[in-house]
Amino acid sequence: MASSAEQQNSDRSAQVADEAAGPTPASPASPAAPTPEPEPASARSAGGGLWGSGMPRWLPRAMVLALLMVGLFQLADWAFHELIDLFVMLLVSFFLSLALEPAVDRMAARGVRRGVGTFLVFVVLAIAVGGFLTALGTLLVDQVAKIASDLPHLLDNLIAWINRTFHQELSLDELQKKLLKDSGAIESYAQSAADNVWGVSSTLIGGLFQAFTVGLFTFYFTADGPRVRRTVCSMLPPAKQAEVLRAWEIALAKTGGYLYSRALLAVASALAHWVMFALLDLPYAAAQAVWVGVMSQFVPTIGTYLAGALPVLVALTTDEPVDALWVLVFVVVYQQIENYLLHPRITAKTVDVHPAVAFGSVLAGAALLGGVGALIAIPAAATLQGFVGTYVRRYEVTDPRVDRGEQRRQRRELRREAARRLRRMVGGDSGRR
């Protein structure tokens, strides 16, 4: 037993020694394990780099999609800038159709076909615009001819006034010599103006083409108004169709009501000014009255000043220049009557736009679309005001701090009422005594 225990201890000691010594080196006769050869640098860069087989599969598709999106954005931006004039003409046509469609609807309700009714409305509108431009052109030509014939007399009076006021010794002959000395500059200016005739002609032709395009789209929008609404609503679910039709009705009511109220105010203004100009015996009294009525109502912000400037200037060229003062006084007085009497009564039945809202909308429209934006800004503001009044819920304000002036007025009324009661009480006591 002792020998077996010593044998186990010796075996264990040998095993511990072998583990401490490590693995036994291979003999030269035994075959060595194959050592893997290192990969070339080119193979490593091709296999593990960004563009090798290790690139994610989604990356090429993402790059192609990004390039496609950039190209589509560039194409859409180019198309928008090229078609912006068309979009503006469509917008103007849409608002004009909103203004004309109520009249066409009334004729359609009486059995007139919408196309025929739209044509009749266009004829009436063309006659009105043509008559206005003809009367204005006749007035302008006549006044220019009158000023040209009276120009020598006016120049003599002007030179005499300059000599008296500034102690000069000017004469008409000296002015003529200076003009002849500068004839080269005048000739060069005339030559440059003649060279620009083609540019002016092309601009005029472009304006006529744009007017024809706006008229054509307006005719289609007005004549096919129900079909256009049906086409738009057919692409929407039933729940959205009711909202779109309601918004369309609001736009019709507000735009048409605003323009019709302006037309009534223009007629009233033209009649009143025609009577005044006829009493003063001004030339072309009817044409000037129409000018005042149209400009004061349909040209925002500065229309009133432009409307009154022309008859004042015409009155200055008559035999009684003092008539210009009477014209100015009448224009100012009538403007006040219109603001406080006519305008509230007429717009109460159509649509009313606050003057501050109208002025701000004109500025915004002019900044966005120029003159066209200024013309359609107020109808657009009236339509937006109708949307806000319909879809925005309002609550009653009961806090007295919202109007401090009204609060002070109520306190004054209470004090006055208390003073009146005190006086009555004192007067009653004295009477009984």
Side-chain angles (χ1 to χ4, degrees):
M1 294 179 62
S3 59
S4 62
E6 291 177 358
Q7 184 66 30
Q8 289 177 357
N9 291 334
S10 62
D11 293 339
R12 188 178 296 111
S13 300
Q15 184 178 359
V16 171
D18 293 338
E19 290 177 357
T24 304
S27 61
S30 62
T35 304
E37 297 181 358
E39 294 181 349
S42 59
R44 286 198 304 268
S45 61
L50 180 63
W51 304 106
S53 59
M55 182 174 59
R57 294 181 179 180
W58 56 266
L59 186 58
R61 286 178 292 181
M63 295 175 62
V64 172
L65 183 60
L67 292 176
L68 182 61
M69 295 297 293
V70 171
L72 290 176
F73 175 77
Q74 295 289 339
L75 180 62
D77 182 71
W78 169 79
F80 176 78
H81 284 87
E82 292 294 328
L83 298 176
I84 189 170
D85 293 335
L86 178 61
F87 294 152
V88 172
M89 289 188 288
L90 288 175
L91 182 63
V92 174
S93 301
F94 177 71
F95 274 99
L96 290 177
S97 67
L98 292 179
L100 300 179
E101 192 167 350
V104 177
D105 289 339
R106 293 189 182 95
M107 288 188 287
R110 297 180 180 180
V112 181
R113 297 179 58 184
R114 294 190 63 87
V116 177
T118 306
F119 178 75
L120 293 178
V121 172
F122 267 69
V123 169
V124 173
L125 185 62
I127 291 174
V129 174
F132 171 72
L133 294 178
T134 302
L136 184 62
T138 304
L139 172 64
L140 182 62
V141 170
D142 183 76
Q143 292 302 313
V144 169
K146 183 176 179 58
I147 292 175
S149 62
D150 296 341
L151 186 60
H153 180 67
L154 295 175
L155 286 177
D156 289 336
N157 294 336
L158 179 61
I159 291 173
W161 179 80
I162 292 175
N163 291 333
R164 290 194 307 269
T165 305
F166 300 100
H167 306 288
Q168 300 292 324
E169 295 181 356
L170 299 177
S171 64
L172 187 59
D173 295 335
E174 293 181 358
L175 293 177
Q176 291 177 352
K177 290 179 181 179
K178 290 183 179 180
L179 289 176
L180 292 175
K181 184 185 297 183
D182 296 336
S183 60
I186 298 175
E187 183 179 357
S188 61
Y189 177 77
Q191 183 65 32
S192 63
D195 295 337
N196 292 330
V197 169
W198 174 252
V200 174
S201 301
S202 61
T203 303
L204 180 61
I205 293 174
L208 292 176
F209 177 75
Q210 289 181 354
F212 174 77
T213 304
V214 170
L216 186 63
F217 279 119
T218 304
F219 183 88
Y220 286 140
F221 285 156
T222 306
D224 294 337
R227 186 182 303 175
V228 172
R229 287 191 288 272
R230 188 177 295 108
T231 302
V232 172
C233 292
S234 64
M235 296 182 291
L236 300 173
K240 299 295 183 181
Q241 292 178 7
E243 296 296 329
V244 170
L245 292 177
R246 187 179 181 183
W248 209 304
E249 289 180 357
I250 292 174
L252 279 173
K254 298 301 181 180
T255 304
Y258 175 79
L259 293 180
Y260 289 147
S261 64
R262 287 294 172 179
L264 290 176
L265 290 173
V267 171
S269 177
L271 291 175
H273 287 85
W274 175 66
V275 172
M276 183 62 185
F277 296 161
L279 291 176
L280 295 176
D281 198 18
L282 293 182
Y284 299 99
Q288 294 188 70
V290 173
W291 162 266
V292 173
V294 173
M295 293 298 292
S296 62
Q297 302 303 325
F298 289 100
V299 176
T301 308
I302 62 173
T304 302
Y305 307 103
L306 294 178
L310 180 62
V312 170
L313 292 177
V314 172
L316 288 174
T317 62
T318 60
D319 297 333
E320 297 290 338
V322 72
D323 291 342
L325 179 60
W326 295 113
V327 171
L328 180 61
V329 170
F330 181 79
V331 169
V332 173
V333 171
Y334 179 81
Q335 188 65 34
Q336 303 307 314
I337 295 174
E338 179 184 288
N339 291 337
Y340 292 100
L341 293 180
L342 297 179
H343 187 272
R345 295 178 181 271
I346 293 177
T347 55
K349 298 181 179 180
T350 54
V351 63
D352 190 13
V353 179
H354 194 275
V357 176
F359 182 71
S361 61
V362 168
L363 293 180
L368 293 175
L369 299 176
V372 176
L375 291 176
I376 67 174
I378 298 181
T383 303
L384 183 60
Q385 182 177 344
F387 289 158
V388 172
T390 302
Y391 292 103
V392 176
R393 186 177 180 181
R394 297 180 181 272
Y395 300 91
E396 183 180 359
V397 180
T398 58
D399 195 327
R401 293 174 296 178
V402 72
D403 191 350
R404 298 185 181 276
E406 182 67 20
Q407 190 176 5
R408 295 191 185 97
R409 188 185 66 81
Q410 292 178 358
R411 286 200 296 265
R412 285 198 301 270
E413 291 293 334
L414 292 175
R415 287 196 296 267
R416 291 174 183 173
E417 184 65 23
R420 284 194 295 267
R421 291 179 180 178
L422 182 60
R423 284 195 297 268
R424 285 196 297 267
M425 292 173 60
V426 173
D429 294 340
S430 61
R432 284 192 298 269
R433 291 176 183 176

